[in-house]
Amino acid sequence: PVENGNAAFGDALAVFYGSQTGTAEEVAWDLVREGRAKGFCCSEPRAMNDIDVQSLCRLRFVVFVVSTTGQGEPPVNMKRLWQDLLVASLPKTLLEGMRFAVFGLGDRHYREFNYAARKLHARLHGLGAEPFLRLGLGDDQHDFGLEQELDPWAEAMWDALTTICQPRTLSTAEIANMNDCRYSLETVGRQASTPSAFSANRPTLQDAEEFVARVRANWSLCTQEHAKEQQEVRNICLQLPPSRSYSAGDVLVVWPQADSELVTRFVVETLGLELTTLVKVSVLCSESSGGASSSAFPETPLTLEDIFTSYLDISAVPSRHFFHVLSKHTTHELHNRKLSEFASRTLEGKDSLYEYCKREKRSAAEVMWDFWTARPPLAELLSALPPMRPRRYSIASCPQWCGASVSFEGLARHWASYTRAVCPAWRLPLAGAGASGACAG
């Protein structure tokens, strides 16, 4: 129903993402949380591959958050829908009645800057959908990162939506009691023994078969001065099992794991919990979720050691939402003020967050050590921490020359930046010759 040109509150805003490393997914969640706080009815964000063209046609208000990978290619979890939208026989009025907005995540150092977002925006418009906001193009090279473009774009988006999709007015009490927690926890006991480093209690890829590869060599490709002042690039050579082979253009996926000493310190000393505690993590579905939500955790119980070793990345640089969650669970006046400042969208807040966290590559674990009075409930902490994600690398070796070996070059900033106060998150699989790592291809 529409009155005076405005859609009723029941018309939910659908948010979809195409994300390769998880950043676009986190941006999508931020938009949903902010929209709900403003009184909009927002469905929980979903990967673009989770919807087909037929279902897309029935949506009225849609926001897409899209990153670009490789040579201007769309992320894996949006490729299926993108290919369906490219079918030449689709009528030009297919998406007539849809109002949409697209925000792209990119890097101006690459020629195909935000190519996937640009192409998606043009294709949706070509199929009859009407944009209610300009195309947003985030640039990771800015000092403030993607937020430099995202923040004004998001504010403009809520203003534009207010004119076409009337939000509900929320009371102060409703806003204060709003719960952003995505999971519920049930403690089911304790595990008698600790599993091996590559146990079955790890996340898996749905589109690839896993295997364990042995590290044959691991050496730096740059000078010590460059590695210290800029970033270190390393060549990793893996010995593949006899059953595995690869061709030119293939991608190797490496599963990282957090260092055991870091996990022990974080769980036992920081959270005051036991590594062997078994918990079952379940998704909390909102009324507007539109069905079952995806979860980073399996249905079977996990130990806290499993969770913080393989499922959540406590060595990653946290998001602004993480600081917001911490700010709600401290009574320390100075800590609350600084955490709230880091979580804000003001220019001063972004500058402070950049200086404290992003430039220093400060991890989530280090933040909680600095702000020792902020201890959110475990369920909220799991919701705020970034999930551990596989790293994808283009294979640099030639199968005709290297046989059962495979080499790839990786930026060591993914793990070396954690050595300031914690051990490298990738130390186990990429420690050097003789180590083993979980891979997929």
Side-chain angles (χ1 to χ4, degrees):
V2 178
E3 297 179 4
N4 300 325
N6 288 346
F9 174 73
D11 290 300
L13 173 68
V15 181
F16 293 96
Y17 58 84
S19 182
Q20 192 75 9
T21 63
T23 306
E25 181 179 356
E26 181 56 38
V27 170
W29 272 105
D30 281 345
L31 292 177
V32 167
R33 285 187 287 255
E34 185 177 357
R36 289 174 178 173
K38 292 178 177 292
F40 289 95
C41 180
C42 301
S43 62
E44 294 189 356
R46 290 184 288 167
M48 290 178 62
N49 279 354
D50 290 345
I51 190 171
D52 55 30
V53 173
Q54 210 171 25
S55 301
L56 188 65
C57 296
R58 296 194 289 267
L59 300 178
R60 296 193 58 196
F61 308 105
V62 191
V63 173
F64 298 91
V65 184
V66 178
S67 63
T68 299
T69 67
Q71 303 300 315
E73 297 177 359
V76 172
N77 60 6
M78 72 168 279
K79 277 188 175 181
R80 183 166 59 247
L81 178 63
W82 175 241
Q83 292 299 323
D84 291 343
L85 289 173
L86 290 179
V87 174
S89 60
L90 293 178
K92 294 184 178 181
T93 58
L94 178 72
L95 300 180
E96 208 169 56
M98 174 191 291
R99 305 295 300 275
F100 75 95
V102 176
F103 186 83
L105 284 69
D107 186 327
R108 286 196 181 274
H109 280 180
Y110 292 90
R111 184 179 62 182
E112 297 83 3
F113 174 63
N114 270 311
Y115 200 41
R118 295 173 188 268
K119 291 192 294 184
L120 176 64
H121 189 276
R123 184 54 177 162
L124 293 172
H125 199 192
L127 292 175
E130 285 295 325
F132 65 82
L133 185 66
R134 64 174 176 83
L135 172 63
L137 301 176
D139 182 12
D140 195 44
Q141 288 302 313
H142 194 279
D143 284 348
F144 293 153
L146 301 167
E147 286 83 1
Q148 177 65 18
E149 170 65 13
L150 174 63
D151 291 348
W153 183 88
E155 287 299 322
M157 182 188 73
W158 300 126
D159 290 342
L161 277 173
T162 301
T163 65
I164 60 174
C165 182
Q166 189 66 42
R168 183 168 63 91
T169 302
L170 300 178
S171 65
T172 304
E174 284 180 302
I175 296 176
N177 296 326
M178 190 164 288
N179 186 7
D180 294 329
C181 189
R182 295 170 57 185
Y183 301 110
S184 65
L185 297 183
E186 178 188 356
T187 302
V188 297
R190 292 178 183 169
Q191 183 170 275
S193 60
T194 302
S196 62
F198 295 104
S199 68
N201 289 334
R202 293 184 297 104
T204 57
L205 285 176
Q206 297 180 352
D207 57 348
E209 181 182 349
E210 288 193 5
F211 59 91
V212 175
R214 191 168 187 82
V215 179
R216 291 185 56 189
N218 177 7
W219 66 88
S220 178
L221 298 179
C222 54
T223 64
Q224 291 183 351
E225 182 181 1
H226 185 275
K228 182 178 180 180
E229 296 181 359
Q230 302 293 329
Q231 61 190 13
E232 185 177 13
V233 181
R234 301 191 68 84
N235 178 276
I236 314 295
C237 182
L238 303 178
Q239 179 68 43
L240 300 181
S243 59
R244 306 300 303 186
S245 61
Y246 64 97
S247 304
D250 283 354
V251 172
L252 182 75
V253 181
V254 181
W255 277 109
Q257 287 190 321
D259 180 79
S260 59
E261 294 178 9
L262 168 62
V263 173
T264 299
R265 180 181 177 186
F266 186 79
V267 174
V268 178
E269 299 179 20
T270 307
L271 302 182
L273 301 173
E274 296 185 20
L275 292 170
T276 56
T277 300
L278 280 167
V279 296
K280 184 176 182 181
V281 186
S282 304
V283 178
L284 289 175
C285 294
S286 69
E287 295 179 358
S288 58
S289 62
S293 301
S294 60
S295 174
F297 305 96
E299 296 180 359
T300 56
L302 297 168
T303 65
L304 294 183
E305 184 176 22
D306 290 332
I307 289 175
F308 291 106
T309 297
S310 302
Y311 286 87
L312 296 176
D313 194 353
I314 56 177
S315 295
V317 176
S319 65
R320 282 189 303 197
H321 177 65
F322 180 78
F323 290 94
H324 170 68
V325 171
L326 293 187
S327 70
K328 296 194 305 180
H329 297 284
T330 178
T331 57
H332 192 285
E333 183 178 351
L334 177 59
H335 284 188
N336 178 270
R337 185 166 68 249
K338 291 303 295 182
L339 288 168
S340 298
E341 179 185 351
F342 293 148
S344 71
R345 282 189 165 176
T346 64
L347 183 61
E348 294 78 9
K350 286 189 285 190
D351 186 59
S352 297
L353 181 62
Y354 173 77
E355 292 294 331
Y356 168 73
C357 192
K358 295 188 176 181
R359 188 165 76 171
E360 295 295 325
K361 302 296 182 184
R362 202 177 304 273
S363 69
E366 291 173 305
V367 170
M368 292 194 67
W369 296 336
D370 288 346
F371 294 91
W372 66 90
T373 64
R375 293 295 179 263
L378 186 57
E380 291 194 39
L381 182 62
L382 299 192
S383 302
L385 285 169
M388 187 73 79
R389 299 186 184 276
R391 273 62 161 178
R392 300 171 185 267
Y393 292 97
S394 297
I395 297 174
S397 54
C398 175
Q400 283 74 26
W401 293 350
C402 300
S405 298
V406 57
S407 296
F408 64 94
E409 277 71 49
L411 298 179
R413 66 185 179 191
H414 285 303
W415 62 88
S417 58
Y418 307 144
T419 59
R420 183 180 65 258
V422 298
C423 296
W426 282 37
R427 191 179 72 178
L428 178 62
L430 299 182
S436 297
C439 308

